[in-house]
Amino acid sequence: MTASEIRKAFLDFFVSKGHIIVPSAPIVVKNDPTLMFTNAGMNQFKDIFLGEAPAKAPRVADTQRCLRVSGKHNDLEEVGVDTYHHTMFEMLGNWSFGNYFKKDAIAWSWELLTEVYKLPKDRLYVTYFEGDQKEGLEKDTETYDLWKQFVDESHILAGNKKDNFWEMGETGPCGSCSEIHFDSRPDSERAEVDGATLVNADHDQVIEIWNNVFMQFNRVKDGSLHQLPAKHVDTGMGFERLVRVLQGKTSNYDTDVFLPLIDFIAQKSGKKYNSAAKPGDEDWAAAVAMRVLADHVRAVSFTIADGQLPASNKAGYVIRRILRRAVRYSYQTLGFKEPFFYQLVPLLAEQFKGVFNELYSQKDFVQKVVLEEETAFLRTLSAGIQKFTEVLNVSADNVIGGQAAFELSDTFGFPIDLTELMAREKGWTVDTTGFEAALQEQKTRSRAATAIDTGDWVVIKDDESVEFTGYDETETVAHIVKYRKVSAKGKDQYQIVLDKTPFYAESGGQVGDKGELVFPDGEIIDVTDTKKENGLIVHFTDKIPANPADALTAIVDTQRRHSIESNHTATHLMHAAMKQVLGTHVNQKGSLVNNEYLRFDFSHFTKVTDEEIAKIESIVNEKIRENIALKEERSVLYAEAIQTGVTALFGEKYGEYVRVITFDDNFSKELCGGTHVKATGQIAYFKIIAESAVAAGVRRIEAITGAAADAYINQQSQLLNQVKELLKNPKDIAKSIESLLEENAKLKKEIEKSILEKSSGLKDELAKKAQEINGVNFIAERVELPNADAIKNLAYNLKDIVPNLYLVLAAEINGKPNITVMIADNLVKEKGLHAGNIVKELAKEVKGGGGGQPFFATAGGSDASGLNNALEKAKNFIS
Ligand code: ATP
Ligand code: MG
């Protein structure tokens, strides 16, 4: 079976068992503060497990793109070194939301593996949870008994909490699990060593392929386990591992999932890929490097396609680090001194066509971003190599200090193993203990800076679902469902969840609402921000009401909301106008809509010209004048909406039903959860105020609307009036400024000429003052020249006419001391005089510093009163 047949067989099988197939969620997680990237198929269903959102169907299945490079599940260091852990991988999964449980899950997984895929039963092992006393969890005998129907007892193994109690993160849904492992060793080896002893023992031929998790608990902040409202099944099967096993291979990289990439890398690097290479073998390093490249391009490409650009912090930094890890292998081990990694992107995009189309439809953009990052990092690498050489010059004992190694890694992005490798080549070592200490210290520092302590929820009122009323009203009577305390940077805040709320929670670029919670006893609590967390709408406040169980009125700051809505609708109009003016390749890559302005990042490869900006503005303003009424459809089938040509965003998770926002059926139609003006006329006016580049292939436009646009235009016209007045109200302002500039340039030239004349005059005067001391013509004088260039010019001129010259010039330029030293070339050689060293000494007199070459050097300082002392001192160097 090919990889795509294997994927299809999985999905078809679960459809036959009454499951509906759902799309993969994006790899970048937006609404969960405990998670940066999707690390398991269940993430997108977290709020269903927690009982915070209803399930859309009781049984679903999918293939989910996952990334395990940070947080609780981090496999990065294994990737490439072993043959079955990836950064990005597909997790095939089937789910029951309070529907079937252990019995069906176990029976179906066995049926699929042994009857559909026809895996040999004697190579399969299954596990069950042995229980845990400390947690008060019992042995999972139910699972054991269920397996006994299909599997020989010698192949049913007990597992501990680490392997058989699955948890998403530090907190969140969890439960006991049952894994299925496959032994792909040759029969001879199997006869010698019992496979059962190799399960969960990091053996690369006895690997876990599938995990059936029986979700039953929620782990909360204090570490305790709470029963979930219902019991669920959550399974995850590593697609690449399954393919490997079904294709009879001993490495994931030998399957058709990876071979096209590996072959391309091998061919371009001129090195052979040896899948069987072992550590210590000559071709081991290259094999690891090729696997790293083939793997990492998937993580990097899919995160970029899902909207996360490489950056210097958070999720963007994780991506940048993965990319750099790949580029380092490409540079160092495979010998690519020019960008190469980016060339893998189109190959990968082609491969995932029809599976995850996000990549294919943006492949040029993704490739451009990767190329830019790669080029920048290669530059960093060469700067790092230079720094490395400097470190060698100042270190003692052939040891690179821990601090230096840390600086190489922190500032130059130079990984520690690269430093070690390069050190080894020179017969040096690295103080790795010192390095670890420095690293640890930095980690502690940054953790302290960002540590957030989130308390557990205090439940006031049991309520299943939370209702958002803010599309229809800005004032709602509601009750507190629960609240909790959150402390960060020594500041306490509270988060409150209401059963009903008109407050819009930050999402889709639109900022959260602010406003008030008004209580019957007169207490008013300010809401400072509103954010989403999984399915919840969380209101941020500085305190908790005295009577939290009372009914309250939640009131949104409507003036602020109105400005936000103007900017949001304007963003839609602008997006549509941009597609008309710039082309349909324009895709949203990020947006911010607040009450002051709107910011819109989009894929586009060149600067947006002034004419294009004017055109976009004029289209948007025309649509504003048309006063088009908002058409809001709250619940349209996603598939239907897409057919009518709505604008959907990459990296956004859409459900089966979506909200469609239309302003003129033939103009702007977007999937959007935000709030909008009732008719475009309310925006009043639209003005673009900035256009810039944010990253490779991504431009940014900032714009304002309504009162802000009005104020901006007023300010601009005032400025213009000021200019007119200064110019004495000319008829043609531009022309008048032009002639001013011309005149200015002419004057500048004349001044330069007169300075030159002055310095030539000085030249002869100074030459006469030369004093012969020990065969040196010594001149030390104060001069009055307006800039350093003129002084330099004078010094060079003197050198031409005075042999054996040792010249020191002191000047005050705009109140600052300046010292210039010039020494004839022959004196530098014969007498060992060094202008750079001399000027450094002299600069001490003016409280400054400087330096330069042996024959010419300059210095500046802060105390001009010392200039005469400096001139006095100059003679000491030759007498
Ligand atoms: P392992 O112990 O092999 O790291 P795991 O216990 O971390 O696996 P789960 O969290 O149970 O794995 O994930 C479910 C399935 O996803 C696993 O059975 C495996 O097939 C697959 N899987 C997990 N991590 C990776 C990875 N880094 N690369 C590829 N597949 C993976
Ligand atoms: Mg793991």
Side-chain angles (χ1 to χ4, degrees), residues 265-331:
I265 300 165
Q267 186 209 334
K268 292 284 170 175
S269 66
K271 290 186 161 56
K272 233 183 93 235
Y273 174 66
N274 178 7
S275 173
K278 294 269 170 297
D281 290 354
E282 198 190 327
D283 42 11
W284 167 248
V288 171
M290 290 184 198
R291 289 196 287 263
V292 165
L293 262 65
D295 172 277
H296 287 15
V297 71
R298 295 157 41 105
V300 169
S301 301
F302 276 106
T303 25
I304 295 173
D306 273 344
Q308 180 60 62
L309 295 174
S312 57
N313 58 21
K314 297 188 189 154
Y317 189 57
V318 178
I319 294 317
R320 175 166 284 169
R321 266 184 30 227
I322 298 175
L323 185 141
R324 289 180 167 190
R325 190 172 187 261
V327 173
R328 172 172 56 94
Y329 276 106
S330 145
Y331 175 90

Side-chain angles (χ1 to χ4, degrees), residues 68 72-75 78 85 166 208 241:
R68 292 199 168 177
K72 184 171 168 64
H73 295 278
N74 186 347
D75 296 333
E78 262 78 59
H85 280 98
W166 198 88
E208 177 187 329
R241 293 187 190 180

Side-chain angles (χ1 to χ4, degrees), residues 9 90 162 238 242 250 266 353 516 560 657 670 736 795 803 821:
E90 282 181 67
K162 183 184 138 278
L242 176 68
T250 52
K353 217 164 130 182
E516 294 175 338
R560 182 171 175 276
Y657 288 92
E670 281 197 40
S736 156
V821 177

Side-chain angles (χ1 to χ4, degrees), residues 410-422:
D410 195 46
T411 318
F412 294 89
F414 229 56
I416 182 70
D417 49 345
L418 180 56
T419 307
E420 280 182 298
L421 185 100
M422 288 174 55

Side-chain angles (χ1 to χ4, degrees), residues 358-376:
E358 290 80 355
L359 184 55
Y360 188 78
S361 48
Q362 300 178 88
K363 65 178 190 311
D364 294 343
F365 166 72
V366 173
Q367 192 180 24
K368 191 157 175 137
V369 173
V370 174
L371 172 61
E372 174 107 339
E373 276 286 312
E374 192 178 7
T375 310

